[in-house]
Amino acid sequence: MTAGANHGAESGFTAIVLAAGKGVRMRSGRPKVLHALANRSMLGHVLAAVQEAGAARLAVVVEPDREDIVREIERLAPGASVHLQAERLGTAHAVLAARAALEVGQDVLVAFGDTPLVTAETFARLRAPLHEGAAVAVLAFEAADPTGYGRVLTEGDRVLAIREEKDASQDERQVNLSNAGLMALSGAHALDLLERIGNDNANREYYLTDAVALAAGDGLSVAVVPVAEAEAQGVNDRVQLSQAEATIQARLRRAAQLGGATLIAPETVFLSVDTVLGRDVVVEPHCVFGPGVVVGDGCTIRAFSHLHDARLMEGADIGPHVRLRGGAVLGAGVHLGNFVEIKNATLHAGAKASHLTYLGDAEVGAGANIGAGTITCNYDGVSKHRTLIGEGAFIGSNSALVAPVSIGAGALVGAGSVITRDVPADALAVARGRQVTREGAAKTLRQTLKAAKAAREAKKS
C-alpha cells in the first residue's frame, strides 16, 4: 500500500505487536500468544498479517525472560525488533516500551498477539485514513453484547473518545460501538500523543485508547474503521481458542474450495495455514493436514487420513486411514490403501502399497508393488537405516525388510520373508522357516493339555 506524502510513502509503516500478556485464563505453562491455530501460533498469525499488509518495520513487545516467544519471533519475522515491558502498566505503556520504533517517525499500527483473526486487508483498511489526514484510526464493531468492551463515543461524525467500561457512565454503557483494540497513529503525532497519556482511571493504567480523546481535544481528525465482531475477537481462554480455530478453519476450507479442491464434508477436514491443495483434489471426510503438506492436482485423499510434512504428485490416491509422516513423497499415480504409514520415504510413480504396510526411511521404485503387512525394519535402536526397492519389484505379503537392504529392480520377495541381505535385480528371494507338518499332532496336544488341566483342578479340590 502506498502512503501519502506526509506518511512515509517510501518506507511504509511500523507495526508494534503487543505480546506481553500472561494469559492466566489459558491455564497453561505455554505463553498465550504461542497457542496455535491451524498449526501456526496466534502471534505468528498476527506477524504474518501485518507483514502482508505492508509493514516495513516490526516491533514486538514481550515480558522479560520469555525466550520461547523471542525464538518464535526470530523464526517468523527475523528482522523484527524485540522490546521488553518489565512492568504491566497498561497498553499505552506497552507501546512506549517500543519507543525506539516510534522514534523512526513512520505511521504506527498497533496490534495484539492474542487477536489472531484480523486479516491483512483489515490492517490495510485501518491504516488508510491516515493517508487522508487522520491522526488516529481505531478499529471498531457493533457488538451484539458490548459488556466488557470499551465504547467508542461519537458526536455526529466526530469521534470524541474511547471509554473503558469501568470508567463509562450509564449512558455511555448503552453505546454498542465497541473498541476492537487495534489502532493506527500518524507518524507525525504518534509519539506526542502516547507520551501525554495519563493513568487517571479506575485501573490506574495508561490506556492506549486515551490517544483518541487527546487527538480530538487537539482538533485532529480521528477515524473509525468498521470490522466484524467475529474478526476482532481476542483469545483469552481455551473456549475462545477453539472458536478462533473454527473461524480459521472455515477460511482455509473456503479458500481451498475456491481454489479448485473438493471437500466432501468440509466441516470434518482440518487444514494447516500452509496446506496446498491442487485443482481437482478430492478430500473425503475426517482428514487432517498438518504443517508442510502439498497435494498435486487430481489427487484423492480418502477418509480418516492424516498427513504431515508430505508431498503428493499428480494423481496420487491414498486412504482410507493412511498416515503420511515427515519426509513422505509420493510420485504421480502412487496408490496407498487402508492402514498404510509412510515416513521419510519416497515412492516413485505408480508404486502401490494397498494395505497394512509401514515404509520408513525407504525409496520405492516406479511401479513397485508392496504386499499387505510388509514393513521396513529401519531402526536398530541407535540409528536409522534405509531400504531401497527397485523399479517394478514385487514384495510379497507379510514380509520384513531389515535395513540397510536393497531389493533390485524386478525382484520378487516371497510372502512371509524376512530379508536381511540384498536381493539382485530380477531375483526371487524367499527367507522363511521350513514348514513342518505332523499328522494328528494337534489332536494329541489338545488331549494332553486337557488331561493336565483336569489334574490341576483335581489337586485343588
Side-chain angles (χ1 to χ4, degrees):
M1 175 174 286
T2 304
N6 295 326
H7 297 283
E10 292 79 14
S11 53
F13 67 92
T14 296
I16 297 178
V17 180
L18 306 186
K22 290 185 177 296
V24 174
R25 281 185 281 172
M26 297 296 287
R27 300 187 183 279
S28 174
R30 180 188 306 172
K32 177 168 67 170
V33 297
L34 295 188
H35 284 263
L37 301 171
N39 291 302
R40 175 190 282 168
S41 68
M42 290 196 288
L43 177 59
H45 282 280
V46 177
L47 293 174
V50 295
Q51 289 180 95
E52 186 180 342
R57 288 178 174 80
L58 268 174
V60 187
V61 178
V62 304
E63 64 178 334
D65 303 318
R66 288 279 30 148
E67 291 304 315
D68 45 4
I69 297 179
V70 173
R71 286 193 297 270
E72 180 78 342
I73 296 165
E74 292 173 344
R75 185 175 71 86
L76 298 174
S81 58
V82 177
H83 307 267
L84 302 182
Q85 184 188 19
E87 298 180 273
R88 298 176 54 77
L89 301 178
T91 48
H93 177 262
V95 174
L96 282 170
R99 177 183 291 273
L102 293 164
E103 290 173 345
V104 174
Q106 291 182 324
D107 289 346
V108 176
L109 194 153
V110 180
F112 292 82
D114 61 357
T115 308
L117 301 178
V118 179
T119 66
E121 292 76 13
T122 296
F123 281 122
R125 286 196 301 112
L126 180 60
R127 188 193 175 207
L130 305 184
H131 304 171
E132 300 169 5
V136 178
V138 297
L139 201 64
F141 57 92
E142 292 288 344
D145 177 4
T147 303
Y149 292 115
R151 309 305 204 277
V152 181
L153 307 180
T154 61
E155 185 178 84
D157 293 335
R158 294 183 62 233
V159 182
L160 303 179
I162 296 176
R163 193 85 70 229
E164 297 300 323
E165 185 168 67
K166 288 183 179 180
D167 302 303
S169 67
Q170 286 300 319
D171 287 342
E172 290 170 341
R173 291 184 183 186
Q174 302 309 306
V175 174
N176 279 347
L177 188 61
S178 301
N179 174 39
L182 285 71
M183 184 179 293
L185 302 98
S186 164
H189 303 287
L191 191 55
D192 174 65
L193 290 172
L194 290 165
E195 288 180 330
R196 288 160 55 198
I197 291 173
N199 66 344
D200 184 15
N201 53 63
N203 284 343
R204 309 303 297 172
E205 291 186 352
Y206 298 89
Y207 293 146
L208 175 63
T209 50
D210 285 352
V212 172
L214 289 171
D218 291 347
L220 299 172
S221 174
V222 178
V224 172
V225 177
V227 67
E229 182 174 359
E231 184 178 342
Q233 176 66 55
V235 174
N236 295 303
D237 56 36
R238 307 279 184 154
V239 173
Q240 292 175 339
L241 184 70
S242 67
Q243 293 167 343
E245 178 75 36
T247 299
I248 290 285
Q249 289 298 329
R251 290 178 184 175
L252 294 172
R253 293 163 186 153
R254 176 178 171 79
Q257 292 173 99
L258 292 177
T262 294
L263 309 184
I264 292 175
E267 69 281 2
T268 71
V269 174
F270 290 85
L271 305 170
S272 292
V273 289
D274 62 349
T275 301
V276 177
L277 301 180
R279 293 195 305 171
D280 298 316
V281 167
V282 176
V283 181
E284 292 185 355
H286 302 289
C287 291
V288 177
F289 294 81
V293 176
V294 177
V295 181
D297 294 348
C299 291
T300 300
I301 314 298
R302 302 191 185 276
F304 297 100
S305 293
H306 190 292
L307 294 73
H308 175 272
D309 185 24
R311 185 175 185 88
L312 286 69
M313 306 304 179
E314 182 176 359
D317 184 330
I318 71 169
H321 296 281
V322 160
R323 186 179 182 197
L324 301 184
R325 296 168 58 197
V329 178
L330 307 186
V334 164
H335 170 70
L336 304 179
N338 50 295
F339 302 105
V340 173
E341 180 177 354
I342 307 294
K343 191 274 296 182
N344 191 30
T346 298
L347 278 69
H348 292 280
K352 296 178 180 180
S354 293
H355 33 218
L356 302 165
T357 293
Y358 169 71
L359 299 173
D361 299 292
E363 182 166 357
V364 180
N369 188 88
I370 312 299
T374 294
I375 61 171
T376 56
C377 306
N378 54 320
Y379 183 52
D380 62 8
V382 178
S383 302
K384 298 291 182 68
H385 302 282
R386 290 191 66 77
T387 297
L388 304 179
I389 300 173
E391 180 176 342
F394 184 98
I395 311 299
S397 297
N398 202 35
S399 293
L401 309 180
V402 183
V405 71
S406 174
I407 311 298
L412 191 154
V413 172
S417 293
V418 178
I419 300 298
T420 60
R421 294 182 294 177
D422 291 350
V423 179
D426 293 317
L428 167 63
V430 180
R432 55 182 180 238
R434 183 180 297 277
Q435 181 173 322
V436 176
T437 303
R438 296 178 181 175
E439 295 287 345
K443 181 178 180 181
T444 301
L445 179 60
R446 284 193 297 269
Q447 291 172 341
T448 301
L449 293 174
K450 184 177 179 179
K453 181 179 179 182
R456 287 196 302 269
E457 291 176 349
K459 187 176 181 180
K460 287 179 183 179
S461 62

